[in-house]
Amino acid sequence: MTDPMETPAWAELTTLAKRDLPLKALIEQDRTYLRLSAPGISADFSRQRVDTHVFQSLIELIHQTHVTELRDSMFSGEPINSTEERSVLHVALRVPLNQHVTVKDVDLSVGVHLVLDRMRNFSDQVRSGQWTGVTGKSINRVINIGIGGSDLGPAMACRALHDFVTPEISFAFVSNVDPNDLKEALEDSDPERTLFIIVSKTFTTEETMLNAQAAKSWILKALPQLDSIDIVQQHFVAVSTNSLRVTDFGINLTNMFGFWDWVGGRYSMVSAVGLSTMIAIGSANFNDMLRGFHEMDEHFRTSPPHQNMPMLMGALAVWNRDFLNIETTAVLPYSHYLGRFPAYLQQLTMESNGKRVRKDGSLVHYNTGGIYWGEPGTNGQHSFYQLLHQGTSIVACDFIVVARENGDATRQQSILVANALAQASVLSIGVTRQELNAGGNAPDLLAHKVMPGNRPVSLLMIDKLDPHSLGSLVALYEHSVFTQGAIWGINSFDQWGVELGKKVASGIAHSFSDNSLIQDFDASTQYSIKEYLRINPQN
Ligand code: F6P
């Protein structure tokens, strides 16, 4: 396999990175090649520290690391998730009815549309009140129980699409095994009118299973006069690939919505995992979201690298990470409703590209996945932006700007957008001591007021936050993550790093009741276990 560091483009980029490339000067040059549009989104990368030489070398790097070949392999269903020998076909979830994805003579789109039809049918029934709780009352509360990819996508989408969510039903997303998470969701719930959607690809994830059992106990206790089988039948549905475990839990398979091992958890938000989203926004809006995803998929699949928004975004992320040594990216949505988007992206980016070995098992000797974090923009301005502007760490910033508000608060909306544009400008061009001096600032404060600028900024602008644009936005990041992983030669689709912690947690939990097991752990862990048991001996 290709080692990216061995490519001529990598060597060229290393040389190019040694030059001083001040954004202030770059921004004034004609760099229209850094302004791209794709369905639903325009991207301005002109605040990246990139000139024509860097741009061309990044395009070369894409070619020399065979990104487009890997992309084509993904779309054709080859098992590019090599450690799990699986295809990576979340794009097949988004193909319209008249198109087909066939892998080894099996038309996957048939199964995809069958599940979508069942989801439509079910969500229509819940939304119309035709699906009732066991006592015949309509559903007015949906609680999604799942974690990671089985929570973050639906939770993020339900908030992002707030203006499209039915007012008849309230939604809660329970992920944490901390009992307070479920407790809080149940506080506002009427057992007779609550529907639980248990979402777990494996149906073995401990947090989800414990929360699902606790939810079951809550509802059975609340309706003691009724048959428990009937209660579970009307109040629990499952989203999973594991029918055996779903049946064990007591959920009828007619109330299970399946998906496939070729859909990774963090890429699953429009599979059956999106059932709560569909109930929230309705199937027509869900279709619009699928369309947004698919249009970005097609843009990624067919555009040449230099006009390919996700591919270029991914290559720029590699440039910042490996050549400019920038470790973190702040995701800054200027939209209240995109409040959960940074959390969603954290799993997508870091579970995908937080890897230190390449596909062939050899250690990488370059940097891979950066750290993604963030908060809605204006709140961040009054909190961590000080460090972004004047701190000693350079943070790359992704601004996400929504041009049109769905409501009529146009004055607030224009102030919001003005703030985003102002911050993007100041972060990239800053202000010098001379400029401050000429502006009549007090001499003893000049040093404190200097803004070094030169922080790389991407500005994504979406017309309006709706299902279509949300689909495009998520697919944009998915394919950018893909591009980064392809350049680095890592497998972006497994997550072995999360397994050991789960196993150790289970061992520690056992040691609470069987103290002879405590000695199996390292000295610090033994100390913490004993300290915990001293404070809380009731285990
Ligand atoms: O532990 C990580 C992980 O496997 C994620 O990749 C996944 O999204 C999450 O756990 C939940 O898994 P499941 O859907 O199987 O419960």
Side-chain angles (χ1 to χ4, degrees):
M1 62 178 294
T2 310
D3 179 340
M5 280 187 97
E6 301 294 320
T7 61
W10 192 282
E12 183 63 18
L13 287 163
T14 307
T15 308
L16 292 172
K18 291 190 182 123
R19 298 169 310 156
D20 194 19
L21 275 182
L23 271 174
K24 195 169 183 171
L26 279 175
I27 282 173
E28 297 311 322
Q29 295 171 13
D30 179 21
R31 285 143 79 238
T32 44
Y33 52 88
L34 291 171
R35 297 200 169 108
L36 271 61
S37 33
I41 302 181
S42 71
D44 184 2
F45 299 127
S46 66
R47 295 184 186 89
Q48 292 290 336
R49 278 151 59 181
V50 166
D51 62 1
T52 36
H53 301 295
V54 174
F55 181 74
Q56 274 156 9
S57 298
L58 287 174
I59 301 301
E60 281 305 309
L61 185 66
I62 288 172
H63 287 304
Q64 290 165 15
T65 52
H66 311 291
V67 175
T68 53
E69 287 90 329
L70 191 71
R71 172 199 64 189
D72 296 344
S73 301
M74 172 174 78
F75 275 89
S76 62
E78 282 170 42
I80 64 165
N81 175 356
S82 47
T83 60
E84 297 178 304
E85 293 174 25
R86 289 177 180 168
S87 305
V88 173
L89 273 172
H90 43 277
V91 290
L93 298 169
R94 292 97 80 131
V95 291
L97 249 183
N98 57 358
Q99 285 177 28
H100 299 273
V101 178
T102 305
V103 178
K104 290 191 187 143
D105 294 332
V106 178
D107 186 351
L108 302 182
S109 11
V110 174
V112 166
H113 286 284
L114 217 71
V115 173
L116 276 172
D117 279 346
R118 291 190 56 228
M119 288 166 66
R120 264 177 217 127
N121 186 27
F122 182 73
S123 62
D124 285 350
Q125 285 187 43
V126 173
R127 284 166 64 87
S128 66
Q130 211 184 321
W131 181 280
T132 65
V134 68
T135 58
K137 293 187 181 166
S138 62
I139 299 298
N140 71 356
R141 177 81 163 158
V142 170
I143 301 183
N144 188 95
I145 297 182
I147 197 165
S150 297
D151 162 72
L152 289 161
M156 178 275 289
C158 194
R159 175 142 177 219
L161 301 175
H162 175 272
D163 289 343
F164 299 81
V165 173
T166 172
E168 308 292 328
I169 302 173
S170 67
F171 292 82
F173 296 86
V174 173
S175 54
N176 200 326
V177 74
D178 181 333
N180 293 320
D181 197 358
L182 181 66
K183 191 181 101 189
E184 214 172 81
L186 296 178
E187 269 164 14
D188 304 327
S189 308
D190 172 355
E192 292 181 62
R193 303 188 68 186
T194 299
L195 175 74
F196 294 98
I197 307 180
I198 314 301
V199 187
S200 175
K201 184 173 170 183
T202 52
F203 232 70
T204 56
T205 303
E206 196 171 24
E207 293 92 329
T208 302
M209 291 304 109
L210 284 170
N211 279 327
Q213 288 295 353
K216 190 154 105 178
S217 307
W218 172 81
I219 198 165
L220 296 185
K221 196 168 159 209
L223 305 171
Q225 69 285 20
L226 299 169
D227 184 73
S228 62
I229 296 176
D230 294 343
I231 296 175
V232 174
Q233 163 90 10
Q234 289 308 115
H235 291 267
F236 283 83
V237 298
V239 173
S240 187
T241 56
N242 191 341
S243 46
L244 225 65
R245 292 274 186 155
V246 168
T247 318
D248 282 352
F249 183 85
I251 295 177
N252 198 316
L253 288 189
T254 52
N255 295 336
M256 168 178 154
F257 298 83
F259 59 118
W260 306 270
D261 69 358
W262 41 263
V263 184
R266 54 192 175 273
Y267 297 90
S268 67
M269 67 174 268
V270 286
S271 69
V273 169
L275 185 62
S276 57
T277 315
M278 196 188 271
I279 297 173
I281 64 174
S283 56
N285 284 321
F286 197 88
N287 271 355
D288 281 348
M289 186 160 72
L290 288 172
R291 201 164 45 79
F293 269 101
H294 180 65
E295 288 174 12
M296 186 59 81
D297 293 343
E298 284 301 283
H299 169 85
F300 178 57
R301 190 177 68 82
T302 58
S303 306
H306 68 284
Q307 288 167 346
N308 193 313
M309 190 187 286
M311 220 176 257
L312 187 56
M313 192 168 159
L316 289 168
V318 172
W319 166 247
N320 285 334
R321 182 79 187 98
D322 284 286
F323 300 94
L324 303 185
N325 284 318
I326 296 175
E327 236 177 333
T328 89
T329 298
V331 181
L332 308 167
Y334 276 70
S335 159
H336 177 64
Y337 290 146
L338 284 175
R340 290 293 286 161
F341 194 67
Y344 174 79
L345 273 193
Q346 281 179 342
Q347 186 198 18
L348 180 65
T349 56
M350 296 201 269
E351 197 166 63
S352 296
N353 285 341
K355 312 278 163 72
R356 58 195 277 285
V357 292
R358 299 188 309 149
K359 281 186 177 169
D360 61 6
S362 59
L363 268 181
V364 298
H365 33 275
Y366 39 86
N367 289 319
T368 63
I371 297 161
Y372 282 71
W373 58 282
E375 269 290 314
T378 36
N379 295 354
Q381 283 173 211
H382 296 273
S383 147
F384 55 81
Y385 274 44
Q386 167 63 38
L387 185 148
L388 300 188
H389 285 294
Q390 290 186 315
T392 51
S393 293
I394 308 283
V395 177
C397 297
D398 284 4
F399 281 72
I400 304 172
V401 177
V402 178
R404 276 193 289 144
E405 173 54 33
N406 290 320
D408 51 10
T410 47
R411 173 77 184 134
Q412 277 156 288
Q413 182 64 12
S414 53
I415 295 297
L416 184 66
V417 173
N419 269 280
L421 303 188
Q423 294 296 330
S425 166
V426 173
L427 280 163
S428 49
I429 65 167
V431 64
T432 62
R433 181 182 263 270
Q434 291 71 26
E435 286 163 338
L436 287 165
N437 202 13
N441 281 275
D444 55 337
L445 283 181
L446 290 183
H448 297 278
K449 288 191 164 183
V450 167
M451 308 282 273
N454 232 18
R455 272 69 178 150
V457 169
S458 292
L459 196 145
L460 305 175
M461 194 172 292
I462 56 184
D463 181 7
K464 169 169 174 256
L465 187 55
D466 60 16
H468 178 267
S469 62
L470 184 68
S472 300
L473 182 67
V474 173
L476 168 64
Y477 274 98
E478 284 178 348
H479 299 318
S480 164
V481 164
F482 175 96
T483 303
Q484 294 166 51
I487 293 173
W488 287 321
I490 57 178
N491 180 358
S492 301
F493 302 101
D494 59 10
Q495 57 282 321
W496 296 105
V498 300
E499 294 307 325
L500 183 59
K502 292 182 192 171
K503 206 168 136 204
V504 176
S506 153
I508 292 175
H510 279 115
S511 79
F512 293 157
S513 49
D514 178 354
N515 293 176
S516 71
L517 299 174
I518 297 177
Q519 64 190 20
D520 294 350
F521 300 98
D522 63 86
S524 298
T525 306
Q526 286 190 34
Y527 169 77
S528 301
I529 295 173
K530 288 176 188 160
E531 191 61 1
Y532 168 63
L533 292 175
R534 183 184 66 76
I535 299 167
N536 183 6
Q538 296 152 346
N539 272 282

